[in-house]
Each structure stands twice: as structure tokens, then as C-alpha cells.
Amino acid sequence: MANRSELANAIRALAMDAVQKANSGHPGMPMGMADIAEVLWRKYLRHSPANPSWFNRDRFVLSNGHGSMLLYALLHLTGYDLPIDQIKAFRQLHSKTPGHPEYGLTPGVETTTGPLGQGLANAVGMAIAEQALAAEFNRPDFKLVDHHTYAFVGDGCLMEGISHEACSLAGVLGLGKLIVMYDDNGISIDSDKAHISLWFSDETHKRFEAYGWHVIDGVDGHDPGAVDRAIGEARSITEKPTLICCKTKIGKGSPNKQDTGAAHGAALGEDEVAATRQALGWSHPPFEIPEHIYAAWDARGQGAEYETEWTRLLENYTARFPTEAAEFQRRIKGELPAEWVSERDAVITEVADKAEKLATRKASQNALEAFAPLMPELIGGSADLAGSNLTMWSGSKPVSEGGGNYVFYGVREFGMAAMMNGMALHGGCRPYGGTFLVFSDYCRNALRVAALMGVGSIFVFTHDSIGLGEDGPTHQPIEHAASLRQIPNMDVWRPCDAVETAIAWAMAVERRNGPSSLLLTRQGVPHQQRSTSQIEQVQRGGYILSDVDDPHVIILATGSEVALAMSAQRTLADAGTRARVVSMPSTTVFDRQEQSYSDSVLTPGVPRVAVEAGVTDFWRKYIGLDGAVIGIDRFGESAPGGALYEHFGITADAVVAAVEKTLS
């Protein structure tokens, strides 16, 4: 029979051996948090190793993701499809054990962590999703959605500002199913050069108490009994999230590197690994785990029981509440409603028939008003700008303990984006959130991680150009559209009118393998007339909006500048120049089209001119060496939007001049 010390030491051994074999990694945190992990995973965590996607599992997030070997050891030991050969291949090419946990690569990994603090914010998002779904679907005697979200965090996670954003909101929302365990080891990478108190002396327990959390302070992270009691207490607190502050020793068991920065981010070294084995009383060769320890860790049988019990509950729920059960199952499977396609097409047709001139931010709100009743899984929000980015619709209800579908994130752009990712990862909901495009910089790392994970978060960015006007250069995005398009797997839409906006929303909702960013105007833009086939082609990202026979030139435009291209086309026609106008609301989607379609839109050999109120370099790949770009390569100024377009030369006349110069 294995004792608790042996079980924790199995984690320590796998961690130090894998890091040593790779000669790269972070052994200290896994060795320091092994005792905490043993208690949580063996007594409290409800999961099913044979079915990592079982919906009602507890979510476990390793926010301090540099200590990935802790998670890999736990997954391996408890019976997930992560054999010992993968542990031996830690940090090697194409292995399922990369340097930081990656969602979708390793079974049992709930989210991609590495950029510190984001995992913690993801966990808050997961807890929000659990709370909202439980409020909507649970019934007396039927706790269909009933699970906890656990997160491990380190000093680095709590130093990052995103931890303040997310944890402050978690306290406001009373997320009682969120339990965070803080690895308070007093060590970071620079700790060999100076003491951590020189850069981190927060009274963390008081900080979280001020957020409205329940805090359990001073827990000995190497005393399983103390950890057990703390988790039990945390689970009994249902009206607020809990932080458990665990004092630990980084590199626990290493005779010479325990409690040093040297244990944080480098292999211990062969001699120290051998000395640690002796100190721990671990006599087994590298990567060898005795069968009795495997047997004690194996969670497959218990996981199958958890899953069977819940499946029986779901069956009884279905018999009692068939309509709710069908809706619940549709959502957790990520399926669109049966009537989605026909209703979507009807909405787009209605928008096209109205032919309204309005700001695309308002067109976005109109699209929400039409689509959200069809997609009750949409959970919206705004970073304190709902009245400006128009992310609320008539059915929006604040998220609280009683349910809801709208989060008032406050001025927390980065936290908002990362919490949205957590909701998307949890499943059963589709998050969207809004702020000004210029503040996408604050969201940037969460946008990147959303794209890396391939989750369907929808980011609504309004006030998309100098057209926002008087707020000036601090609020006028110049480089932002181009920079978002550079993120692999991020679909970026900059629609020119209400029709393109509705289609952009539909495409974002339908997308299942990555996030979407919608870039929307503050100022009104005119409706563009289209045929039915042109409306269908909008979803290809780029299409011919207005054509001529044998064009002399192609004018490419996005967003509010499409109207300038259309005006320039008319002026050029009067002078005998035949110009084709191409609207390209999504270059990222257009770039995925087959070559034959791309060539039909951007006919090879025909000169090209692009116009967009942003940096010009991005468009060079479309216009070639001989083309021209009308844009802005400097920061803006404070003035009315129309005056700024004139001042910076982003006008129909400027497009005409660029065409004439290009053709000459």
C-alpha cells in the first residue's frame, strides 16, 4: 500500500527526470506543489481519464504553466492517454508534453498556459460559465451542471496585472465554485540575484479579502492533512471564491537547490538528481514507477463511476425536462440550432433590403438583436463601453448568481479577453466582448492565445479608425487592423456596411476552430447594393462589389473606405478609366480561398490600388510593387472624423489620383 509521501514523490521523480533528460524545464514548482496536487487529485477532483471531455468534470487549470511537468505527471499517473514515452519526450519535437501545457494537444489539458496569469483568468471564465449554465439548466433534485474550477497559481501569476482584473471581478460575481491554490514559495527566477521581497511584498491574503474572496492563509503546503482541511473548507463556501495560500518549498527534496531560484527554471543536474533520490528515499530508476503507486493513483475506475452517475442523471433529466435537455445537449456539443441557416439567411436578406446608412457598430447591435435569440448560448460583455460599442441587445441580462448572459467587465480589457477564452473552453456558451479597437493592445496576449488554442471567442472592436474623431491619437487605431491580421488563425472582419456586418457576425458564430475579431466604425457608412451572388460571396472574405468589362485597375478597400472606392470608380469612369472595386472585409478569410477564386477577384496582371485608414505596408502583398496604397502611417490628431480624413488625404480624390499615377 503506497503512502501519501510515496505518491507525491512519484510526481517529483517524474518531474526532475523529465527535465533532466530534456536538459530544459522547470522542476522546482512540480516538486514544491506535489503534496498539494496529491490531495486535490486523489480526493477531490472529479474527472474521467478515459473521457477527458466529460462535461461535468471539475476543471483544473495550471496557471503557473512553466511547471507543466506537474500536470503531465498527474495525467500520466491517473490514467490519461499519456504514456511514459511521452513523459520521456518532454519538450521534444511533436511530443504531447511541450514546455507549457497546450490545449488540444495533450488529453486532460484544459487550457494553454504559459503567459502567467492568463490561466487564472481562464479559470474565472470557466467558473462564470459554470455558474451561468447551472442557473439556466439546473432544477430541484437535478444538478445537471455542478462542478468546481480549481487553479494552481504562483507568485508570477499574482504579479501580473491580469490577476487583479480577473480576481476582482470574480469576487464581485461571487463565484463560489472557484478555488485557487497559491504556491507561496517566495522564489522567482531572479531570486538567486536578490530576494523576492524587493519586487513582491504584497500581503496577498489581504488583497484577496479586499476583492471579496474567502481566504485561507498560512497553510503548510507539505502537510497533506492541512491541505485536505483547507480544500474541504473552501468547498463549503458557496457564496464567494476561495484562495488557499500554501507555503511551500520550491524544489522540495533537493538537498542543495531546494528554496533557491536555481530550482525554478533549469535542470537540477545529474548529481543533484541522484542526491534528491537519496533524500526522498526514492530508489527507483528514472521514469520507473512501481505498480502499487500506479494502482493508488489510477483514477479511471472512479472517473467512470462519476461519468456513469452523471449520465444517469442526464437521462432522468431528459425524461422530466425534454426541451431543456435537448437544448443543453446541443450546446455542450457545440452544435448550431437546427433553424440557424434559414434564419441567418432571412436576417441577411432583410438587412440587404433595408439599405440603411448607419455605423457598423450599430449594424453589429442590430445583428445581435436578430441572432442572439437564435443562439441563447451567447454570453456578451463589454469593458465598460457598452454604450459606445453597442454590445448589449434587448435580451441582455447581467450575469449574477441567478444566471444571465451579459458580463459588465469594467475597465478590464485583458482580463475580459482571457475570461472569454475560459468560457469558450468550458463549453456550453459562446462568449463575445467589446472594447475600442485601439485597446486591443491591452487584450493582445489573450487574443494570441485564443488563436493558438483555436477557441471561438468573438472580439468586438469598435471605433476602428481615425473616423472616431475628437478623442485624438491615443484612441485612434492606426496599426491595429494590420497587427490583428498577423495573428495566425485569427479571423479579422472589417465590414463596410450593415450587410457585411451581419455576415461577419454569422461567420464568427459559425466558426469552430478559432477566434474572430470584428472591426466596426463609429461613423455612419452608406449601404452598398449587391446581387444575391455577391451577398453569398461576402463570406469568402473578398469579392467584386462593382465590376466593369476589361478593367484598367482594381481598387481594393475595407470598411468605411469602400464608399471612397465606389466614389472614385464613378469619377474615373467619367474620365474613361474602367475600375473594378473589390470589397475585402476579411483578408484572413480571403487568403484561404482557392487560387481560382482569388484570381477571379484580383485578376493577375491588372494594376491595383488599395485604400484603408491604417498603415499601408500590410497591403503590399495584394497590390504588388507597382501598386499604390492610400492610408496613414503616422498617428492621428484630435478633430472631427471627416476633417481628419481630409487632412490625411484619405479621400475619393486621393484614390483617383493614385489610380492615375499607377496607370501612368
Side-chain angles (χ1 to χ4, degrees), residues 262-563:
H264 186 288
L268 297 179
E270 295 288 356
D271 291 343
E272 188 65 12
V273 167
T276 303
R277 269 186 159 72
Q278 185 173 358
L280 294 174
W282 187 265
S283 60
H284 314 292
F287 302 107
E288 184 175 303
I289 304 295
E291 285 303 319
H292 73 285
I293 292 179
Y294 271 129
W297 270 109
D298 192 346
R300 288 172 292 185
Q302 181 66 74
E305 290 180 18
Y306 287 144
E307 191 174 355
T308 298
E309 179 184 355
W310 184 79
T311 300
R312 189 177 302 116
L313 176 67
L314 178 59
E315 290 171 351
N316 293 334
Y317 181 93
T318 301
R320 184 83 172 272
F321 309 104
T323 301
E324 292 86 346
E327 174 64 11
F328 175 75
Q329 298 223 51
R330 179 189 70 78
R331 290 200 210 174
I332 67 174
K333 292 175 182 176
E335 296 174 348
L336 291 166
E339 68 276 14
W340 167 258
V341 173
S342 61
E343 294 288 345
R344 174 204 67 191
D345 291 346
V347 168
I348 293 168
T349 299
E350 182 179 355
V351 172
D353 290 343
K354 282 186 178 179
E356 289 182 296
K357 176 181 179 179
L358 70 169
T360 54
R361 63 170 173 161
K362 179 59 179 175
S364 170
Q365 186 180 47
N366 292 347
L368 268 173
E369 197 69 49
F371 291 146
L374 305 173
M375 294 285 293
E377 59 264 51
L378 285 173
I379 295 185
S382 172
D384 204 46
L385 290 168
S388 292
N389 56 40
L390 305 182
T391 45
M392 295 189 77
W393 61 288
S394 62
S396 293
K397 297 177 183 178
V399 165
S400 66
E401 292 183 42
N405 61 1
Y406 194 87
V407 182
F408 289 98
Y409 287 102
V411 188
R412 301 181 177 101
E413 292 90 353
F414 188 11
M416 174 184 72
M419 284 183 268
M420 286 168 56
N421 291 343
M423 292 182 220
L425 289 162
H426 179 277
C429 60
R430 287 296 303 279
Y432 70 89
T435 186
F436 288 1
L437 177 56
V438 76
F439 301 138
S440 64
D441 284 338
Y442 284 155
C443 308
R444 179 75 183 199
N445 209 275
L447 302 179
R448 181 179 187 273
V449 175
L452 175 62
M453 293 190 289
V455 297
S457 300
I458 302 172
F459 303 101
V460 180
F461 295 123
T462 65
H463 296 62
D464 71 342
S465 72
I466 56 172
L468 75 87
E470 294 85 346
D471 276 340
T474 60
H475 283 53
Q476 292 166 3
I478 302 300
E479 74 279 19
H480 298 74
S483 69
L484 289 175
R485 291 167 181 147
Q486 296 294 336
I487 301 176
N489 200 37
M490 172 68 75
D491 276 2
V492 180
W493 292 86
R494 188 168 183 253
C496 77
D497 66 0
V499 174
E500 288 189 357
T501 303
I503 294 172
W505 258 108
M507 294 302 100
V509 166
E510 292 175 17
R511 192 168 191 226
R512 287 292 182 270
N513 61 349
S516 300
S517 291
L518 311 183
L519 282 46
L520 308 168
T521 67
R522 178 198 184 203
Q523 71 275 27
V525 291
H527 170 78
Q528 302 298 334
Q529 197 62 39
R530 299 172 184 81
S531 66
T532 301
S533 63
Q534 285 175 311
I535 291 174
E536 293 172 352
Q537 288 173 347
V538 172
Q539 64 185 291
R540 286 178 171 262
Y543 64 102
I544 299 172
L545 176 61
S546 181
D547 208 3
V548 293
D549 292 332
D550 193 20
H552 296 125
V553 66
I554 299 172
I555 305 174
L556 294 81
T558 76
S560 47
E561 289 71 68
V562 168

Side-chain angles (χ1 to χ4, degrees), residues 485 493-497 500 528 530 541-545 554-569 580-587 590 601-602 608-613 618-619 622-623 628-630 650-651 655:
R485 291 167 181 147
W493 292 86
R494 188 168 183 253
C496 77
D497 66 0
E500 288 189 357
Q528 302 298 334
R530 299 172 184 81
Y543 64 102
I544 299 172
L545 176 61
I554 299 172
I555 305 174
L556 294 81
T558 76
S560 47
E561 289 71 68
V562 168
L564 301 180
M566 293 295 288
S567 179
Q569 182 194 48
R580 171 188 292 169
V581 174
V582 169
S583 177
M584 198 173 285
S586 179
T587 62
F590 181 78
V601 175
L602 301 179
R608 302 167 192 172
V609 171
V611 54
E612 183 176 62
F618 171 81
W619 290 98
Y622 297 105
I623 65 167
V629 185
I630 305 299
I650 306 175
T651 64
V655 176

Side-chain angles (χ1 to χ4, degrees), residues 41-61:
W41 277 64
R42 292 190 64 248
K43 181 171 182 179
Y44 291 103
L45 196 73
R46 293 170 60 91
H47 61 123
S48 180
N51 183 13
S53 61
W54 168 50
F55 184 77
N56 203 43
R57 69 193 182 278
D58 289 336
R59 271 59 170 181
F60 175 78
V61 175

Side-chain angles (χ1 to χ4, degrees), residues 65 157 179 209 228 237 266 292 353 410 474 489-490 588 590 597:
C157 296
I179 298 174
E209 285 171 355
D228 190 346
I237 304 298
H292 73 285
D353 290 343
T474 60
N489 200 37
M490 172 68 75
T588 50
F590 181 78
Y597 178 77

Side-chain angles (χ1 to χ4, degrees), residues 10-24 30 67-92 94-99 106-107 109 277 285-289 294:
I11 297 173
R12 295 185 174 101
L14 288 174
M16 69 179 181
D17 288 343
V19 173
Q20 188 61 44
K21 185 174 187 295
N23 197 29
S24 173
S68 57
M69 265 310 305
L70 174 68
L71 181 52
Y72 300 149
L74 289 165
L75 295 172
H76 170 71
L77 291 168
T78 55
Y80 285 78
D81 184 17
L82 196 69
I84 196 67
D85 286 347
Q86 289 294 332
I87 304 297
K88 293 177 181 179
F90 178 58
R91 286 187 167 225
Q92 305 308 300
H94 303 316
S95 78
K96 293 185 178 181
T97 49
T106 312
V109 169
R277 269 186 159 72
F287 302 107
E288 184 175 303
I289 304 295
Y294 271 129

